[in-house]
Amino acid sequence: MKRIAVLTSGGDCPGMNAAIRSVVRTALSKGIEVYGIEQGYKGLIEGEFRKLESKDVANIIQKGGTFLRSARSERFKTEEGQKEAIKNLEKHNIDGLVVIGGDGSLRGATVLCGKYGVNVIGIPGSIDNDIYGTDMSIGVDTALNTIVRCIDSINDTASSHDRTFLIEVMGRNCGYLALMSAIAGGAEAVLIPEVPYNIEKIIEKIKKRYEEGKTRSIVIVAEGVGSAYDFGKVFGMIGGFETRITVLGHLQRGGSPTVFDRTLATRMGAFAVETLLDGTGCGKMVALQKTKMELVDLNDVLNKKKELDPKLLEIAEILSN
Ligand code: F6P
């Protein structure tokens, strides 16, 4: 292998820059040239390639977002788009490709590998932590820290006014961010898509807590169960609480990556290059399992569902009482 390329695709996440930096510098240290592809699969189709040297990835490890930029490409889903992408990989003599992103991006990697025989390796980057095979994806820890900082701030003002706050967090169809931030933020309740909930019961619980002298309540709503505004109306109407809503939105996706995400991304980037070079990584995704870097088949990543740890669900229930 003489030349590899790297791209970031789909929703960005903090730590993507650290992963690119690691890919570039690990490859250069082994005498391999690296090209960065701008805007993910869109840039792959449109030929947005640029050669990356060590200095190009200086001073980015601490920055959120992705300096290669990202996009969601509809055209890459078509055969015509895929063929353009392949043409560009051939034109630039790319022998191996590192794809950093969430499940949509990894699906694209599987197409390139399975249908066109490209040597591809995936790195899981998504704040949702919904990617099968890895305990943590890049960006999750930073997003959680951001969410919990917001919960702490809201807690202060909620306590001053005896208010109930519903805080909506991202995660698409996965309740991981909601569950973990509810545990770490000391919330009274959490609504997630994986577990059936009973609104009346939650309202009863909150009422009881006020009667016992609590001065505020926090309910975390995973975006996958619906809008916090809709739930808020029910809480206000049935519970009679003074209710406020905060939708955290995209501030969860930005910000400087935590030490955990910087080191995870760095380890994943290095492992991706090493295993791409020794041939074991092609068609695989790099994964963190317990404390080790492992490889998971991309087909498994796409076809198997990551489950929430039942112990965490139990802890969240017990500790919120
Ligand atoms: O997958 C990451 C994520 O932030 C989800 O949590 C969220 O549902 C979605 O992306 C938002 O997408 P967009 O940035 O395109 O609005």
Side-chain angles (χ1 to χ4, degrees), residues 121-134:
I121 187 160
I123 294 182
S126 163
I127 64 164
D128 301 338
N129 214 23
D130 57 349
I131 301 173
Y132 175 85
T134 186

Side-chain angles (χ1 to χ4, degrees), residues 195-213:
V195 178
Y197 49 83
N198 181 329
I199 295 292
E200 277 85 12
K201 251 178 136 176
I202 295 173
I203 290 174
E204 272 319 302
K205 176 173 153 184
I206 290 175
K207 261 191 187 158
K208 195 161 159 266
R209 307 301 298 281
Y210 278 124
E211 283 158 19
E212 289 166 0

Side-chain angles (χ1 to χ4, degrees), residues 3 35 46-49 84-94:
R3 187 180 283 175
Y35 277 70
E46 292 170 7
E48 299 289 330
F49 287 55
E84 272 312 299
I86 296 295
K87 255 197 236 162
N88 283 323
L89 286 171
E90 284 169 359
K91 183 171 148 199
H92 291 88
N93 295 317
I94 303 297

Side-chain angles (χ1 to χ4, degrees), residues 11-12 72 126-128 170-172 177 223 250 253:
D12 66 346
R72 292 193 168 106
S126 163
I127 64 164
D128 301 338
M170 280 186 168
R172 215 178 278 274
L177 287 178
E223 66 174 355
H250 285 79
R253 282 244 298 267

